[in-house]
Amino acid sequence: MSGFFDIPSDLQHSYAGLIGLHLREALLPVLAGLLVSLPLAQLCVRFRWLYPPVLGVTTVLYAVPSLAFFVVLIDYTGQTETTVMIPLAVYSLVVLVPAIVDGVRSVPQETLAAATAMGLGPLRRYLQVQLPIAVPAIIAGLRVATVSSISLVSVGMLIGNQGALGNLLNDANIYHRPELAVNSVLTTAVLAILADAVLILVRFLLTPWMPRKGATR
Amino acid sequence: MNVLHFVQAFFSDGAHWHGYDGIPTRVAEHIGYTLEALAVAAAVGLPVGLVTGHTGRGGNVLALIATAGRALPSFGLLVLMFIWIGFGMTAVMIPLVVLAVPPILVTTYEAVRSVDPSPVDAARGMGMSETRVLFQVELPVALPLILGGLLTATVQIVSTATIAAYVSLGGLGRFIIDGLYQRNYEKVVGGATLVAAMALASLAVFWAVSRIAVSPGVRRNG
């Protein structure tokens, strides 16, 4: 009855269902953050004066606790998954924009000049030269954003059981089953570590030119 | 009824400014939680980061520990600790320290690793002991980055310490959690504003500390 994987029926999800829900609530915002931060970072690289204000605004938003963010959004988006996902997308922006800006800026001038000399236009030069070289920096940002996003979904429990695996924490209290809380924390941590490993693999596949021997960073 | 309206309503209400549930009390509690968690996290992260950075060994292990620390959900950890050890500061401090150690540890390690090797070799050549090399050459040069890591940790603690209110403790989270259950949005927004203001204040504190502590010769790259 009180097994580790016996999920109370009020959650209306199986264990695997909760995992799926958790991944969706955590990863869609990071994807949205990436789609917004790629052009935003490109603008910041192009127009240098734009970077400090963008950083300032995102840093202040980052300091707003996720719970407060959720509560304020309830008025607009209700007690739904969207309410959980919007703040997570904003948080991922804060990590991703500087990572992409630093990555794109780190491309040496000689490389850019060579690409131009080979007849690549600005768009192709960006897509085929700058972006691939920035991949390690972008993935490093994505790793931090993804791991913290997965770990933050749980707080959604407080706004009407929208916390996926975090909802187990509430049930652990209601039904006096501490093992549900252990399950929630461990499963969330394992998901985060697995997502991190997948991103390392993606970087490995996307950067065939990097040295394969020795310590990877 | 926009956010600014809520902010204005919250701060102009005299009832929020005094008593055991007033803004000064909650701010003081929040600062207390933050400093305590930061002190413990720094006591763990700084020495380990300095030593591993100096020897250059254990970088991969550190990266693993940092990932594991980031992967643990703060809120879940808080509830779990509350169930296991009950009401008290320990249940709040464990998640906050777990949250703050990875940025301190990783940044300190990277900061010491990235110190230009030529002055370090020069210091050894002058006959400095390894301890003196670490504290008189590597630490001063790495200090701006190390302070950056501490700042990241502080901002995360300030923002996350709000969850302490969920297990009946104080701090600025009280306004947010109470506001949530009372459907009182001006409290929620007011609490969030105070947290954001405290994060900005820590930015200012770290800026001031770096002006005082970082040697002028190192500062120009910062």
Side-chain angles (χ1 to χ4, degrees):
Chain A
M1 269 299 282
S2 59
F4 194 76
F5 294 107
D6 292 342
I7 307 299
S9 63
D10 63 318
L11 295 181
Q12 301 184 358
H13 280 286
S14 62
Y15 181 60
L18 282 178
I19 291 179
L21 193 63
H22 200 97
L23 285 179
R24 193 174 69 199
E25 279 187 45
L27 298 184
L28 281 183
V30 178
L31 191 65
L34 182 66
L35 289 180
V36 174
S37 52
L38 276 175
L40 192 61
Q42 190 55 23
L43 282 176
C44 289
V45 172
R46 183 70 58 84
F47 307 105
R48 279 177 165 268
W49 53 267
L50 197 62
Y51 191 39
V54 166
L55 264 190
V57 170
T58 48
T59 309
V60 171
L61 285 175
Y62 193 58
V64 176
S66 50
L67 178 56
F69 230 133
F70 294 159
V71 176
V72 173
L73 281 175
I74 289 179
D75 251 14
Y76 304 95
T77 48
Q79 300 191 343
T80 59
E81 280 177 36
T82 323
T83 309
V84 177
M85 295 201 285
I86 293 173
L88 295 183
V90 171
Y91 291 148
S92 69
L93 275 184
V94 184
V95 182
L96 287 175
V97 169
I100 299 176
V101 169
D102 290 345
V104 172
R105 273 190 190 160
S106 72
V107 179
Q109 283 300 319
E110 294 84 359
T111 314
L112 292 181
T116 311
M118 283 171 67
L120 266 63
L123 185 65
R124 280 189 64 198
R125 196 180 73 169
Y126 177 65
L127 290 177
Q128 298 185 348
V129 179
Q130 283 181 296
L131 215 48
I133 292 180
V135 158
I138 296 175
I139 299 268
L142 271 180
R143 286 175 61 189
V144 175
T146 307
V147 170
S148 72
S149 187
I150 290 178
S151 118
L152 269 175
V153 167
S154 308
V155 185
M157 175 213 108
L158 288 168
I159 55 151
N161 269 1
Q162 294 298 335
L165 286 163
N167 298 346
L168 289 171
L169 299 167
N170 194 29
D171 281 3
N173 268 331
I174 300 177
Y175 304 121
H176 304 289
R177 287 175 53 188
E179 70 273 10
L180 288 181
V182 180
N183 184 342
S184 169
V185 170
L186 282 186
T187 312
T188 311
V190 168
L191 280 186
I193 290 171
L194 286 181
D196 194 51
V198 168
L199 283 171
I200 295 176
L201 183 71
V202 169
R203 186 202 51 199
F204 188 80
L205 294 175
L206 284 181
T207 57
W209 71 86
M210 276 178 79
R212 293 296 192 216
K213 279 186 203 160
T216 48
R217 299 222 336 204
Chain B
M1 293 289 270
N2 59 18
V3 171
L4 288 178
H5 171 84
F6 287 130
V7 174
Q8 204 260 336
F10 178 79
F11 288 104
S12 59
D13 185 348
H16 287 141
W17 282 101
H18 48 74
Y20 78 97
D21 192 25
I23 293 172
T25 321
R26 295 304 180 208
V27 168
E29 281 171 347
H30 207 86
I31 293 176
Y33 296 171
T34 304
L35 290 182
E36 196 179 326
L38 185 66
V40 177
V44 176
L46 283 181
V48 178
L50 283 175
V51 170
T52 46
H54 178 71
T55 57
R57 274 184 230 137
N60 290 333
V61 180
L62 281 198
L64 274 181
I65 294 174
T67 309
R70 280 202 201 98
L72 284 170
S74 305
F75 182 63
L77 211 51
L78 171 76
V79 174
L80 186 59
M81 289 305 147
F82 189 66
I83 292 175
W84 274 350
I85 54 187
F87 177 81
M89 277 314 286
T90 325
V92 174
M93 279 306 138
I94 291 173
L96 291 184
V97 169
V98 168
L99 178 79
V101 165
I104 296 178
L105 197 59
V106 172
T107 330
T108 308
Y109 172 81
E110 294 287 344
V112 177
R113 293 293 296 156
S114 64
V115 172
D116 185 0
S118 46
V120 176
D121 284 345
R124 285 210 180 94
M126 285 165 62
M128 277 192 183
S129 69
E130 287 302 309
T131 326
R132 284 186 66 200
V133 169
L134 176 59
F135 283 103
Q136 295 188 356
V137 182
E138 289 176 323
L139 182 59
V141 177
L143 197 56
L145 279 175
I146 295 176
L147 286 175
L150 285 169
L151 172 64
T152 310
T154 310
V155 171
Q156 291 188 353
I157 293 174
V158 165
S159 163
T160 310
T162 48
I163 59 176
Y166 180 69
V167 293
S168 332
L169 280 154
L172 293 172
R174 275 266 63 91
F175 294 125
I176 297 170
I177 299 257
D178 296 349
L180 168 67
Y181 290 129
Q182 299 163 0
R183 296 259 147 197
N184 181 344
Y185 290 117
E186 67 179 60
K187 250 190 188 177
V188 176
V189 175
T193 311
L194 286 170
V195 174
M198 197 180 284
L200 287 178
S202 37
L203 273 176
V205 169
F206 273 89
W207 179 81
V209 168
S210 75
R211 293 300 292 182
I212 298 164
V214 175
S215 120
V218 180
R219 201 180 288 151
R220 65 194 133 78
N221 297 328

